[in-house]
Amino acid sequence: MSIGFRVLPVERRVPADVVQRFSQLPVANVSDAMGRIFAGGASLRPMHAGGVLAGPAVTVKARPGDNLMLHKALDIAQPGDVVVVDGAGHLTNALIGEMMTAHAESRGIAGIVIWGAIRDAAAIRASSFPVFAAGVTHRGPYKDGPGEVNVPIAIDGMVINPGDLLLGDDDGLICVAMDDAEDIYTKASAKHAAETAQLEKIARGENPRAWVDETLKRLGCEGV
């Protein structure tokens, strides 16, 4: 086995119906359902015109500044997959640009996540094809390897295994382990329903605030 330079298959993927259901939920509600301790980091932002990213992960562990293995991942990803790249947060060289995103979109890939930089930002920003990244630079990548496809990776401490659910919106990105997806969906959808009901109450002028002073008193705040 060639550790550090290998291409592996995705053994199993989060089911399409689970992806579709999660795509209707805000990332913030999913994050709350996961204890608010899992995130791809504040630097990972949507670079596209807007819209939800959702799909099973095809993972890439890349040498910083090199996109050879990302090219391979784009060629083997299935329609609906999200190609997610651990580029070590390196921002000196862009790992994707307009041509690679066009290729990915033409293959039916659901989106690309780069823990690193992109270029051709104006073209990506004008497109609805989901792209999340940590920065922008005009400097292009190298194509020498090494790297690995479909191995466990981590983005700013968030672990992603091949086939896990990647979910992203304007608030950022989160990974849901496929074996936990049903439990998390149940909790996140309940949270979303509760917040929707609360917003309706606020619109009607029904928004009791006594809990604020009660909490301050319980915590021993002076002057309450």
Side-chain angles (χ1 to χ4, degrees):
M1 182 177 294
S2 182
I3 301 296
F5 206 10
R6 56 184 176 170
V7 177
L8 302 175
V10 178
E11 298 293 345
R12 60 192 184 103
R13 288 170 166 83
V14 64
D17 69 300
V18 174
V19 174
Q20 195 281 329
R21 283 187 279 134
F22 268 95
S23 70
Q24 308 303 308
L25 294 175
V27 167
N29 290 156
V30 177
S31 178
D32 287 349
M34 295 174 67
R36 301 173 180 169
I37 61 173
F38 298 92
S43 66
L44 270 181
R45 307 308 306 162
M47 298 291 180
H48 56 293
V52 173
L53 175 146
V58 169
T59 63
V60 181
K61 188 169 184 64
R63 181 170 68 87
D66 191 290
N67 73 355
L68 176 62
M69 303 308 280
L70 171 53
H71 276 281
K72 181 60 179 177
L74 292 178
D75 287 345
I76 65 174
Q78 295 182 8
D81 285 345
V82 173
V83 175
V84 53
V85 183
D86 172 8
H90 181 81
L91 301 179
T92 302
N93 299 86
L95 295 184
I96 63 164
E98 182 179 10
M99 289 191 292
M100 291 180 72
T101 56
H103 172 61
E105 187 172 14
S106 74
R107 298 202 63 250
I109 291 170
I112 301 176
V113 176
I114 305 288
W115 192 31
I118 66 165
R119 66 178 180 178
D120 303 325
I124 290 172
R125 189 165 52 245
S127 171
S128 61
F129 179 74
V131 175
F132 284 71
V136 177
T137 179
H138 56 78
R139 294 177 63 173
Y142 300 98
K143 294 177 174 59
D144 304 306
E148 298 184 314
V149 177
N150 289 324
V151 296
I153 62 172
I155 293 179
D156 203 20
M158 182 178 72
V159 176
I160 304 165
N161 287 290
D164 282 348
L165 172 64
L166 263 294
L167 188 66
D169 63 16
D170 285 344
D171 285 338
L173 189 83
I174 197 164
C175 175
V176 179
M178 69 181 91
D179 290 333
D180 298 330
E182 288 294 348
D183 180 54
I184 293 169
Y185 177 78
T186 299
K187 294 174 180 176
S189 58
K191 175 73 172 177
H192 184 51
E195 288 191 356
T196 300
Q198 182 66 18
L199 285 169
E200 292 171 353
K201 289 181 179 179
I202 291 171
R204 296 194 300 267
E206 302 171 5
N207 189 30
R209 305 292 294 167
W211 70 268
V212 177
D213 281 351
E214 290 170 359
T215 302
L216 291 172
K217 289 176 182 178
R218 177 174 57 82
L219 294 174
C221 180
E222 184 178 346
V224 179

